[in-house]
Amino acid sequence: MAQKPTIPKGTRDFGPQEMARRNYIFDTIRSVFRLYGFRQIETPAMEQMSSLMGKYGEEGDKLLFRIQNSGEKAAEAPEKGLRYDLTVPFARYVVQHREELSFPFRRYQIQPVWRADRPQKGRYREFYQCDVDVVGTDSLVSELELIEIVREVYRRFGIRVSLHINNRKILAGIAEVIGEPDKLIDVTVAIDKLDKIGLENVNKELLERGLSQTAVDKLQPILALSGTNEEKLSVIRNLLSQSTIGTQGVEEMETVFALAKDAIPADSDTFRIELDLTLARGLNYYTGAIFEVKALDVAMGSITGGGRYDNLTGIFGLPGVSGVGISFGADRIYDVLTELNLYPETMTEQTQVLFATFGDAELRYALGWAATLRQAGINTEVYPEPAKMKKQMGYADSNRIPFVAIVGGNEMESQTVMLKDMQSGEQKAVTKDELIAELTK
Amino acid sequence: MAQKPTIPKGTRDFGPQEMARRNYIFDTIRSVFRLYGFRQIETPAMEQMSSLMGKYGEEGDKLLFRIQNSGEKAAEAPEKGLRYDLTVPFARYVVQHREELSFPFRRYQIQPVWRADRPQKGRYREFYQCDVDVVGTDSLVSELELIEIVREVYRRFGIRVSLHINNRKILAGIAEVIGEPDKLIDVTVAIDKLDKIGLENVNKELLERGLSQTAVDKLQPILALSGTNEEKLSVIRNLLSQSTIGTQGVEEMETVFALAKDAIPADSDTFRIELDLTLARGLNYYTGAIFEVKALDVAMGSITGGGRYDNLTGIFGLPGVSGVGISFGADRIYDVLTELNLYPETMTEQTQVLFATFGDAELRYALGWAATLRQAGINTEVYPEPAKMKKQMGYADSNRIPFVAIVGGNEMESQTVMLKDMQSGEQKAVTKDELIAELTK
C-alpha cells in the first residue's frame, strides 16, 4: 500500500472518544456561560492581516499563519491571516458592529485559533479557546461574575481549583512607592521567583536589574506578605497609601472580595480565591484585575486566565470601552480531567444498544425495533449486515456499546430480543416494552 | 474615528441571534445523527496540500486556500491548505487511523470548510458542512438509515421535503442499452432539461451532442416515465433487462424502497421519496445511490445531498472500502427556516430574566437572588450597574429578554422583586419562590 497520509505538524485529529470528552468540556463551559446570560458569537477563521498585525507583539506577528490569495488580484484582495486568538477578533467585531450591539455586551466564543509555534508536547498549532467577556462597563460586578463562572465550571467538572487574582494598579502602585515606576516588570518577575530562589537571591536580582537599595528595602514588606487575603490587603493598603493608582487597585480588590464573600458559598475545600501579587500575565494589556486559575490536585500551568482591559477596542479606533474577560483552555482541562479520571461514565452521545442479527429476516425485524427505540429517544444502532455473530459482538465491544440485542429465529417467533449486558455478560429475553424500560432507566 | 475594520470578502460574523438559530440547526442535526449511533470526529482546518490536490478536479484545485509556511524551512514543511470539504479529510482520516477503527465505521462531522470561490449572494468562502457517512459495508441498510435521518431531521425542523433518489448503475445501464455507454453525462444533462425545454428540444439536443437517432429513439420510454416509484421502476427494469449493471441498479433501488416502506410511516404529506433519473450529481465519484433533498414549500436548491461511493479511500491507497454518506447544508436550511418562520419561539440559550436595580444596595440584593435562580437552572443576568432604569429596560428590550425583575427599596424591604413581563407589559410583586416558579413553568 502507498505511504499513509499524514496531517500537518502540530495539528490533531479527534476520534469519537476524544470528541465525546471534548464535547463534555465544551458543553459544560457553554451551559455555565449561558446561565450567566452570555451570548455566543462566531467570527471567521480568516481576518484581514491588517486586523492582526501588531496586536500580539513582534513575536506574535511571526506566529501568524498567512493565507495566499487565490484567484484574485493582489490589489483587490487585502492579505488575510488565520485568527491567532479570540480577543482581537472580538475587539474587531465590537467596533465593526457597534451600532447593532447594546452595551454592556456580554459575549462568549468557542472556536479554534492557529499559531505557527514550534510544535512540542502540549503545544499545538490549532487549538480551541473558550472566551467569555463583558465590554462597555467598568462595574466590578463583572469581575464577580467571572469568578462565579470559574467556580461553577470547575464545580461541575469536579476539579478543585485555586483562583489567583491580582490587580495591575496595585503593581503600578508598588513600583511607584518604591520610586521605580518604570521597573514594574522587573519587580513582578523578581517577586515571582520568591518561592524558587528565596528572599536573598530575589533581593540580589533586584539590585542587578538596576533597582536602588532604597527601593529594594521598601519592597521588603511586600515580599514578606502572608496571611489571609484580608490581611495581605491591609498591609498593601498601608504601603500604598501615598499612591493614587495603588490605592485604587486596593479598593477594587476589596470590593471584589466583598462581593465574592456575599455571593460564593464558603466551600474553601474545592474553590479558593487567592490574592497573588506574583501574578503578572498580560501586563501589556490588562489595566485592572488579572486572573489565573490552577488545579489544586494536578501539577499543570494555568487552566483559565484573563483580566480587565480598559482599551481593547482602541486598537480599532473606538477608545474608552472597558471590558473584562477570561479564557478557558480546553486542552489543559482535558488533560486534568483525564489525569484525575473525572469524566462521567456515560456520555450522552453514546450508542446505548446495538442490534445483532442472524439473517436477513432478523435484520428487517431489528430495523422495526430500532425505529421504535429511536422514537423513545434511545441512541440505537443496527449492525447493517447479518455478519458472523463474533464480528458483530466485537463491533459492540470496541465501540463500548453497553447493550447488544441479539435477534435469531426464536426471538422473532416470541416477539423478543436476547438482551446482553456487555459489562456483566448476563443475557435475558425481553419484549419491546421491557427493552425500552431497561434502556431508559 | 478611524475607518471601521472589515472582514475578508465572502466571510461572515455571526451575532448572538444568528448563533442561537445556527445552534438550533446544528443541535437538531447532531441529535439525530447520535440517535442513529453515528460518532463525531474532527479533523484539522489545515491538511497537507498533497492530501487535497487533485481530489476536486481542476476547478477545485484552483479554489483551495493555501497557507504560507511560517517560521519553517520549505524543505522541512510540506505545503498546507485549508480543507475544502469534509469528505476528503474523512477519507484521509479513515486510511490514517484504520488500525484503531472498527468497521463499519459510522462517523459524523460538523465543521467549516473554505473555498476561494468568487463571493456572491448565498455563496460564501467559509461555510459549515454537516456530514454523516458509513464506510466499510455495502449493505443497503445504510442507505435506508440515511433516508430515515433525512426524514427525522426535517420532521424536527417542520420542513416538508422531497427526497430524490437515483442510482448511478441505472444511468450506466441506460447509456449501455441505448448503445452510448460513453454518453452517460450527456444523457442525464438532457433528461434534466425535460421540464424546462420540453421533449422535442431535448431530443434535438441529444442529437446535437452526438447521440445516434437509434439511441434517441430507445431513450423515449425513459423520457416518458411517469407514475409511482414502483411503476417507474418496473418500466426501467424491462428496459434494462439486457444490462447487468442496469439490472443491479434497479434491484438496489427496489431493495431500498422495500426497506423504506417497512421503516417509514406513510406520512407522504411531509416526506416524499421520489425516484428521479434526472438526478446526476457527483457522477465522477458516486457509484450507487445518489440522494438530493428539496424543500417542498420554498424555491431553493438542494438542502441535503449525498450518495454511495465504492472507492473513497482509494485515493489514499486503501481500495475496496465502500461507503455512503450525505451532507446537510446549514446555510440553506437556515434560509428555509427563516423564510417559513419555523424557528422555535424560545431558544434554550436565551437569558430568561434580567435584574434591574435602583442603587448599589439593590444591586447586591439582586446578586443574591440571581445566584439562587442560577442554581435552579434559570439563565439569569444582573445589569452590572444601577444605571438609569430606562437604559436597563432598553437593554432587556434589545436583547429580547422576556422578564425583568426590578429592585428598589420597597422590594428589598418586602423581600420581593417587581417582575415585569416585557411582552404584555404587566408587572407584579413576587417572592423568590414565586419568581422561580414563574420562570420554570
Side-chain angles (χ1 to χ4, degrees), chain B residues 72-119:
Chain B
E72 291 171 313
K73 283 169 203 146
E76 295 168 12
E79 251 201 307
K80 297 178 279 287
L82 293 179
R83 72 177 160 249
Y84 176 92
D85 69 0
L86 302 179
T87 308
V88 166
F90 173 52
R92 193 267 309 146
Y93 178 92
V94 169
V95 177
Q96 189 175 336
H97 299 274
R98 63 185 181 280
E99 277 99 4
E100 311 149 34
L101 302 177
S102 89
F103 293 94
F105 181 52
R106 308 155 68 76
R107 89 86 169 77
Y108 75 90
Q109 188 169 357
I110 299 179
Q111 288 191 282
V113 302
W114 295 271
R115 295 181 188 178
D117 250 323
R118 215 147 63 89

Side-chain angles (χ1 to χ4, degrees), chain B residues 277-304:
Chain B
L277 293 191
T278 70
L279 184 56
R281 54 179 280 156
L283 280 184
N284 47 338
Y285 42 92
Y286 291 138
T287 52
I290 305 173
F291 303 108
E292 196 165 272
V293 180
K294 286 184 176 166
L296 289 177
D297 302 311
V298 177
M300 173 105 49
S302 162
I303 52 179
T304 297

